[in-house]
Amino acid sequence: MVFEAFEVGTVPFNSDGWGPPDASDTSSTSVAAANLLPNVPFASFSRSEKLGRVADWTRALSNPSARPHTGSKSDPSAIFDFSAFAVDEGFGITNSGGNADEDAAFRLVDGKPPPRPKFGPKWRFNQYHNRNQLPQRRDEEVEAKKREAEKDRARRDRLYNNNRNNIHQQRREAAAFKSSVDIQPEWNMLEQIPFSTFSKLSFTVQEPEDLLLCGGLESYDRSYDRITPKAERRLERFKNRGFKVTTSDDLVIRRLAKEDKATVFATDAILAALMCAPRSVYSWDLVIQRVGNKLFFDKRDGSPLDMLSVHETSQEPLPEAKDDINSAHSLGVEAAYINQYFAQQVLVRNGKRVTFDEPIPNVNEGEENASIAYRYRRWKLDDSMYLVARCELQSTVDLNNQRSFLTLNALNEFDPKYSGVDWRQKLETQRGAVLANELKNNGNKLAKWTAQALLANADMMKIGFVSRVHPRDHRNHVILSVLGYKPKDFAGQINLNTNNMWGIVKSIVDLCMKLSEGKYVLVKDPSKPQVRIYEVPADAFDNDYVEEPLPEDEQVQPPEENTDAGAETNGASSTNVAAEDKKSEAEA
């Protein structure tokens, strides 16, 4: 077997240092040139000098025509070819042409790595920054974009489902909510019902029967439908009173109870609080009285049901200081006054009022009351159980020669920094965005207004948008816009299920009908989505019953609960006492 000889070649000896000999050495120049790859520059260097790029497998010549023709389409030495560019001065040579006129094409070889982005995936570069990147990096960039798109889609779906199902389980951790009533040591807890059980309830009721219509209504002023933020109107103050009489004190309900018209009695505000309980965040309470076979749902004097919550379902906490104008208590009082003034201002004040069967109950002769009508309606819960509720209407309007009844309510803006949407800028062009933001921040309040309009069988619900003149001025307000909605259509928009609403009421009524005669309190837990039923003394919440604030160690704790009930202050107690004192003075 014959092997071919392998020729190593002649390696010139350089007696002056490393590398090939200088070009001045004519004897060894030809030998050195034969052993070097073409187009590979070389120069002597020291250890202190920085070397540039030796070979580049990723670059593509921007000017292929400048590449010298080697006779081969795939020249293996092309990766070392820097002849089309000027070489770094450190090599001590210029391009192969040596023409000084081509110095304009001079370009430094950048050996620094490409800058990393401040955020995003590791290999996610700007698409215009490095077009000639490695193929595997492009694949990673595509995969990273897909992952980011998947995360964005999942986040949008999660937010949509939360808003659609009105799940507010992630409460504001920074805010410490307080119970609406002090739990006394002699109270006995009977039931604890989580809101998760309410979502599964459903009950269909028949069309209700109208028993009586009391009071009188004034006509709605349609000019308020044309109000815009650029043509705002000042909110006026009125002296007409709006009476908030509880169920058992209503003279008409007492008469209907004596006539045995029903077994369960309530008001629309109390029923709406029960129907929309899963959407509530703040604590509230109801007084339940079982008298014989009758059941009365009442509210306390100074109850949170007399106020309007503001930013209840928002994730941004409000200031906790009670004297702050933007605290939950201060905003609730402000919203209640705004709602009352707005309902009187949007009426046609010509002295004409449509009167009904009887005057408003519990109003003395000569007292001037607001435009309001009470519609007493009866629903059939089962063969032997009927429910009578007093429902409120605030105004009337003639549409197509037919009388239509309206409910009037007002949303209030106190500071755009809290809501995130400036009404003066968005109401005229983006009403849907403003309403969606209010549904996020005040979902429970809007749901209760809708439930009350459905109970009263109102033809239209008017919602006003009232804002402060200045964010720090809580006494002066302006009306920016008024929108009208049909209650059934609006209930569908906010995902308010009528069957589920009545299912909640039916379950609470069935539970209370099993209790013995006495007085009970249904309390919404201040920190958890659940309600509790307590048995209380018969004289609780009466004029001669004073709730004294208890120390933390004496507060009654529910079983297996870690919430700090001692955080409850005596604010609710002092409010109740003051309200009861005023009531006793008025009766005297």
Side-chain angles (χ1 to χ4, degrees), residues 182-253:
D182 289 332
I183 308 301
Q184 300 298 315
E186 63 268 21
W187 294 5
N188 181 26
M189 191 183 73
L190 303 179
E191 295 289 341
Q192 182 171 285
I193 310 171
F195 286 164
S196 57
T197 60
F198 287 163
S199 60
K200 306 174 185 177
L201 301 176
S202 179
F203 181 73
T204 304
V205 294
Q206 301 176 359
E207 286 295 323
E209 175 188 358
D210 290 340
L211 300 180
L212 193 63
L213 190 60
C214 302
L217 296 177
E218 297 177 5
S219 299
Y220 172 74
D221 190 354
R222 296 187 182 181
S223 64
Y224 282 88
D225 292 337
R226 298 187 292 271
I227 289 181
T228 62
K230 296 180 180 179
E232 60 189 24
R233 291 195 189 181
R234 194 88 174 199
L235 182 67
E236 303 175 9
R237 300 184 181 183
F238 297 85
K239 296 181 180 180
N240 295 349
R241 297 176 54 194
F243 296 92
K244 300 291 184 181
V245 182
T246 187
T247 306
S248 57
D249 292 341
D250 190 296
L251 298 179
V252 174
I253 288 183

Side-chain angles (χ1 to χ4, degrees), residues 91-387:
F91 289 101
I93 61 174
T94 59
N95 53 25
S96 59
N99 190 354
D101 296 337
E102 297 181 2
D103 288 344
F106 178 80
R107 189 184 72 174
L108 291 176
V109 180
D110 188 5
K112 295 187 297 183
R116 287 189 177 183
K118 295 182 180 180
F119 54 88
K122 184 176 180 181
W123 296 109
R124 187 175 180 179
F125 297 106
N126 190 327
Q127 58 179 344
Y128 301 105
H129 175 69
N130 190 9
R131 299 190 180 189
N132 300 317
Q133 52 189 343
L134 293 177
Q136 61 269 25
R137 293 187 179 181
R138 290 177 180 172
D139 295 341
E140 292 182 13
E141 180 182 1
V142 172
E143 293 297 327
K145 288 182 179 179
K146 290 182 179 179
R147 288 194 298 267
E148 287 295 323
E150 187 69 24
K151 289 180 181 179
D152 291 341
R153 184 166 64 253
R155 182 165 54 251
R156 288 194 301 269
D157 293 343
R158 184 169 60 254
L159 292 176
Y160 173 80
N161 293 330
N162 288 346
N163 294 333
R164 186 69 177 172
N165 299 326
N166 292 279
I167 299 176
H168 301 290
Q169 303 299 331
Q170 297 179 357
R171 308 299 181 183
R172 292 169 287 184
E173 299 179 358
F177 301 127
K178 301 173 183 177
S179 178
S180 60
V181 62
D182 289 332
I183 308 301
Q184 300 298 315
E186 63 268 21
W187 294 5
N188 181 26
M189 191 183 73
L190 303 179
E191 295 289 341
Q192 182 171 285
I193 310 171
F195 286 164
S196 57
T197 60
F198 287 163
S199 60
K200 306 174 185 177
L201 301 176
S202 179
F203 181 73
T204 304
V205 294
Q206 301 176 359
E207 286 295 323
E209 175 188 358
D210 290 340
L211 300 180
L212 193 63
L213 190 60
C214 302
L217 296 177
E218 297 177 5
S219 299
Y220 172 74
D221 190 354
R222 296 187 182 181
S223 64
Y224 282 88
D225 292 337
R226 298 187 292 271
I227 289 181
T228 62
K230 296 180 180 179
E232 60 189 24
R233 291 195 189 181
R234 194 88 174 199
L235 182 67
E236 303 175 9
R237 300 184 181 183
F238 297 85
K239 296 181 180 180
N240 295 349
R241 297 176 54 194
F243 296 92
K244 300 291 184 181
V245 182
T246 187
T247 306
S248 57
D249 292 341
D250 190 296
L251 298 179
V252 174
I253 288 183
R254 287 186 178 184
R255 187 178 68 197
L256 295 175
K258 289 181 181 180
E259 297 174 358
D260 202 15
K261 294 291 185 180
T263 53
V264 183
F265 299 88
T267 63
D268 58 347
I270 293 175
L271 290 180
L274 288 174
M275 292 176 171
C276 305
R279 301 173 184 243
S280 62
V281 177
Y282 294 158
S283 179
W284 49 271
D285 59 272
L286 300 175
V287 179
I288 305 172
Q289 297 188 64
R290 177 75 189 275
V291 182
N293 65 337
K294 302 289 191 300
L295 196 65
F296 295 88
F297 287 89
D298 287 308
K299 65 177 181 62
R300 298 180 296 106
D301 290 336
S303 170
L305 298 181
D306 292 336
M307 303 295 177
L308 292 179
S309 62
V310 179
H311 266 230
E312 180 178 1
T313 56
S314 172
Q315 297 298 325
E316 296 295 330
L318 296 174
E320 298 183 11
K322 195 172 183 180
D323 55 349
D324 193 309
I325 63 173
N326 290 335
S327 65
H329 175 77
S330 300
L331 290 174
V333 176
E334 180 183 351
Y337 280 112
I338 290 175
N339 199 64
Q340 181 178 346
Y341 295 154
F342 172 80
Q344 297 302 308
Q345 182 171 344
V346 298
L347 303 177
V348 178
R349 285 169 284 179
N350 54 6
K352 297 182 180 180
R353 179 176 292 192
V354 180
T355 57
F356 300 107
D357 305 336
E358 297 181 9
I360 289 290
N362 299 78
V363 178
N364 299 328
E365 293 184 3
E367 281 187 309
E368 185 179 4
N369 64 296
S371 171
I372 191 171
Y374 288 159
R375 174 181 275 180
Y376 295 87
R377 314 188 77 196
R378 181 171 65 177
W379 286 267
K380 182 179 181 181
L381 299 183
D382 57 33
D383 296 336
S384 60
M385 187 184 303
Y386 288 85
L387 182 146

